[in-house]
Amino acid sequence: MVLVADLFSGLLAFVFGSAAIGKLVRQRQQVQTAEKLQISWGRYRWIAAPEAAATVGLVIGYASAPFATAAAIGLVVLMAGALAFRLRIHDSAGFLLGDAALLGLAVATAVLRIAAG
């Protein structure tokens, strides 16, 4: 169970760490996503803060599991918000499924961390 939680944590850290860096360097794809979601770039860029914090928490979680648990729970909240924004603009099914998959992965990570104690 711990091994699977560690694998999920690594995957989430990679995905959200990459996303945070993309926002910080103003990657074109990130700017286009902000426009598509009808969020000003100034506000959208702040999403990098919880993404980076979660990434750090997930990595520290390899040494201290409560950090990974808290980070995964934070990602659940973040991705629930992301799905709400995508639903608001009637985004395509592919993007909705992608965000839902990340939400599910974050939920599974949190549950596994909690179950492992």
Side-chain angles (χ1 to χ4, degrees):
M1 189 168 4
V2 174
L3 176 63
V4 174
D6 285 347
L7 290 171
F8 287 177
S9 290
L11 181 59
L12 287 170
F14 176 77
V15 168
F16 287 97
S18 298
I21 290 169
K23 288 173 183 71
L24 293 175
V25 300
R26 197 180 173 107
Q27 185 181 37
R28 183 171 15 128
Q29 181 183 11
Q30 293 291 336
V31 174
Q32 290 170 345
T33 300
E35 292 169 355
K36 181 175 162 182
L37 295 175
Q38 301 170 1
I39 304 170
S40 71
W41 176 250
R43 291 181 63 199
Y44 185 78
R45 190 172 188 166
W46 280 101
I47 298 170
E51 289 174 340
T55 299
V56 170
L58 289 164
V59 172
I60 292 172
Y62 287 115
S64 179
F67 283 98
T69 304
I73 292 169
L75 287 176
V76 168
V77 174
L78 181 70
M79 291 313 298
L83 271 172
F85 269 86
R86 291 205 184 271
L87 287 169
R88 180 179 62 97
I89 64 160
H90 307 288
D91 208 350
S92 67
F95 287 106
L96 290 169
L97 289 173
D99 282 359
L102 290 172
L103 173 63
L105 188 61
V107 167
T109 303
V111 168
L112 288 170
R113 292 286 181 189
I114 291 168

